[in-house]
Amino acid sequence: MRTLVTERNFFILLSGVFINGVGGGVYAVSGMLLVLHLSGSVLYSGFAFFGVTLASAMAFLIAPFANYVTYKKGLIVCEILKSALLFSIPLFYLTVGLNVYYVLVLLFAVALLAQFTYPIESTIMPIIVGRDNIVKANSYLHTIREGLDIAFVAGAGILVAVIGPVQAIFITAICHLLSSLSYTFYNFQQPTISKKKESISDLLAVYKIDLKAGIDYMRNSLIPKMIVSIAFINLAMGIMIPNLPAFALIKGGGNEAVYGFYLAAMSFGILIGALVTSKVKEVRFGRLIIISFSITGMLWMGSSLLPVVPSIVFFCLGSISIGIINILIFSAIQQQVETSFVGRVVTVLTSAASIGAPFGALAGGIIGSTLTPVVPVFLCGLAMIIFSVTWLCSTILRKLPKIEEAKLFPDKRIEEAL
């Protein structure tokens, strides 16, 4: 790892991760709080989260356009665009004033740009560190990212409480600008972009064929059942997350810093889940999911009813199962899917599973504004218990062996999917 850190391009990547960790933590807190302040209603927080999660669900449509630019240029331009968009918020705030609808559109646009950069960042990793070091490098970066999320999100809550959400977003804009400057120092081999570019329609036609092959490949596997399960979890999370800013204000007696503490608690719980995955992977997968998510449901229901300190602790502990299921499912896919199909299967899985979150966001906004933000948090916990019961009632899912022995895909040749 010491050798990797001293390598120029990997160090630049780490610098970008650190800078974006600062800006991302501030943005995660200030963006949703700004919408809540401008609108005075969690309904608009639901609209905001709807836009952000809709962008994630559209990832499979945006990723192909990364083929039209070199990796370095794509990263630099996207970071500059994010910075420019975010700079407009304090600019309008000081001049003509801010409109909540403008902020909603801007949050959606920034999320779309992020979907463009994710595949580039994933692609350049093996180029920078070499395929032999990719596992170590990814593990190292994952730990750093989660650690930064915990530290910076918690700190961002305090920062936003002191200087306000608009001023905090100005800091995020600066971070994206600094990140773009750091990427200019990359010197790894860039892909050659053909001067005779394919038309967008041709590119999308090829991508459609690849996407269909990925869908056909996993049609008779257990993945469709898992997509439904993960979509249901995302639906429940979508109901809860837009209400967290208002929920935190209620629990914290109006202290905006408490929202950052709740987000940090979730990140910390997910990190714990990722760290303990190697210990619990020997447990039968079906049993692990049923037990862990029923516990999550009870903890989050308790979090909605308890005072702020035990509420945050319960919220953190309930997030552990999210980290576990993320690592186990994607590890199983990487192990069992032919290399040429991994990208397509993951794209279909993540995009399809993300569909639940936007609709959950809309429902959460309506429920929170009609009743109280406490209710969606309680309902999310209840949904986790319902999720556990559905797995318990499904013979196939309930009896799944430990993840390394679980046969997610039937034996078949690649030609059958093509």
Side-chain angles (χ1 to χ4, degrees), residues 41-269:
S41 171
V42 294
L43 177 62
Y44 287 86
S45 297
F47 292 155
F49 194 64
F50 172 82
V52 172
T53 52
L54 181 63
S56 297
M58 294 171 60
F60 73 100
L61 296 174
I62 301 167
F65 295 99
N67 295 330
Y68 279 87
V69 295
T70 60
Y71 301 141
K72 181 177 178 179
K73 182 179 179 181
L75 289 173
I76 293 172
V77 171
C78 278
E79 290 300 306
I80 291 175
L81 288 175
K82 290 178 190 176
S83 179
L85 288 172
L86 293 174
F87 268 127
S88 69
I89 287 182
L91 178 63
F92 288 174
Y93 177 76
L94 295 173
T95 55
V96 297
L98 268 181
N99 183 286
V100 67
Y101 296 105
Y102 173 76
V103 175
L104 292 175
V105 172
L106 186 141
L107 293 177
F108 174 69
V110 172
L112 278 180
L113 288 171
Q115 304 312 313
F116 183 85
T117 57
Y118 287 156
I120 296 178
E121 291 172 350
S122 300
T123 303
I124 67 174
M125 179 65 83
I127 298 174
I128 291 175
V129 304
R131 294 193 177 275
D132 293 339
N133 297 313
I134 189 66
V135 174
K136 289 181 180 178
N138 274 329
S139 176
Y140 190 63
L141 276 181
H142 177 77
T143 303
I144 289 177
R145 278 197 173 106
E146 292 297 335
L148 291 178
D149 279 348
I150 296 166
F152 291 140
V153 168
I158 299 172
L159 180 68
V160 171
V162 173
I163 67 175
V166 172
Q167 293 79 358
I169 286 177
F170 179 74
I171 294 175
T172 303
I174 293 175
C175 287
H176 281 299
L177 185 60
L178 292 175
S179 180
S180 69
L181 292 175
S182 70
Y183 292 149
T184 62
F185 294 99
Y186 274 135
N187 65 354
F188 61 86
Q189 183 65 41
Q190 299 293 311
T192 302
I193 304 298
S194 175
K195 293 182 179 180
K196 185 180 178 180
K197 295 185 175 68
E198 298 176 275
S199 67
I200 293 179
S201 59
D202 290 338
L203 178 65
L204 291 179
V206 172
Y207 190 75
K208 183 179 178 181
I209 293 172
D210 288 343
L211 197 63
K212 183 179 183 299
I215 294 172
D216 290 341
Y217 180 84
M218 60 189 216
R219 189 184 302 278
N220 297 319
S221 71
L222 287 178
I223 294 299
K225 289 181 179 291
M226 291 189 172
I227 286 177
V228 174
S229 298
I230 298 173
F232 180 77
I233 292 175
N234 285 334
L235 175 70
M237 297 287 286
I239 291 174
M240 177 180 69
I241 290 178
N243 288 276
L244 272 184
F247 174 78
L249 290 176
I250 292 172
K251 291 292 184 182
N255 187 348
E256 294 174 335
V258 175
Y259 176 47
F261 297 155
Y262 273 98
L263 291 181
M266 177 177 284
S267 296
F268 189 48

Side-chain angles (χ1 to χ4, degrees), residues 304-336:
S304 70
L305 302 173
L306 292 171
V308 62
V309 175
S311 174
I312 291 175
V313 173
F314 275 36
F315 195 70
C316 172
L317 295 175
S319 303
I320 293 175
S321 61
I322 306 297
I324 292 174
I325 193 174
N326 284 344
I327 297 294
L328 288 182
I329 288 180
F330 283 100
S331 296
I333 289 173
Q334 289 174 322
Q335 290 172 347
Q336 298 185 31

Side-chain angles (χ1 to χ4, degrees), residues 246-407:
F247 174 78
L249 290 176
I250 292 172
K251 291 292 184 182
N255 187 348
E256 294 174 335
V258 175
Y259 176 47
F261 297 155
Y262 273 98
L263 291 181
M266 177 177 284
S267 296
F268 189 48
I270 293 173
L271 175 59
I272 294 173
L275 294 176
V276 304
T277 299
S278 60
K279 305 294 183 183
V280 301
K281 68 178 182 179
E282 299 302 319
V283 180
R284 291 174 56 180
F285 187 60
R287 180 181 298 175
L288 176 64
I289 294 300
I290 293 167
I291 294 174
S292 62
F293 275 87
S294 62
I295 293 173
T296 290
M298 290 185 287
L299 287 169
W300 280 356
M301 289 166 68
S303 178
S304 70
L305 302 173
L306 292 171
V308 62
V309 175
S311 174
I312 291 175
V313 173
F314 275 36
F315 195 70
C316 172
L317 295 175
S319 303
I320 293 175
S321 61
I322 306 297
I324 292 174
I325 193 174
N326 284 344
I327 297 294
L328 288 182
I329 288 180
F330 283 100
S331 296
I333 289 173
Q334 289 174 322
Q335 290 172 347
Q336 298 185 31
V337 177
E338 283 89 344
T339 303
S340 60
F341 277 81
V342 170
R344 281 176 265 186
V345 170
V346 170
T347 297
V348 173
L349 174 61
T350 53
S351 294
S354 297
I355 291 176
F359 296 103
L362 294 178
I366 294 171
I367 295 170
S369 60
T370 304
L371 302 173
T372 168
V374 175
V375 173
V377 179
F378 184 89
L379 289 177
C380 184
L382 181 61
M384 297 300 149
I385 294 177
I386 294 173
F387 168 73
S388 298
V389 172
T390 60
W391 272 61
L392 182 64
C393 295
S394 171
T395 304
I396 295 176
L397 297 176
R398 182 179 69 248
K399 293 184 176 181
L400 281 175
K402 61 183 182 180
I403 195 66
E404 292 179 348
E405 298 175 359
K407 203 175 184 71

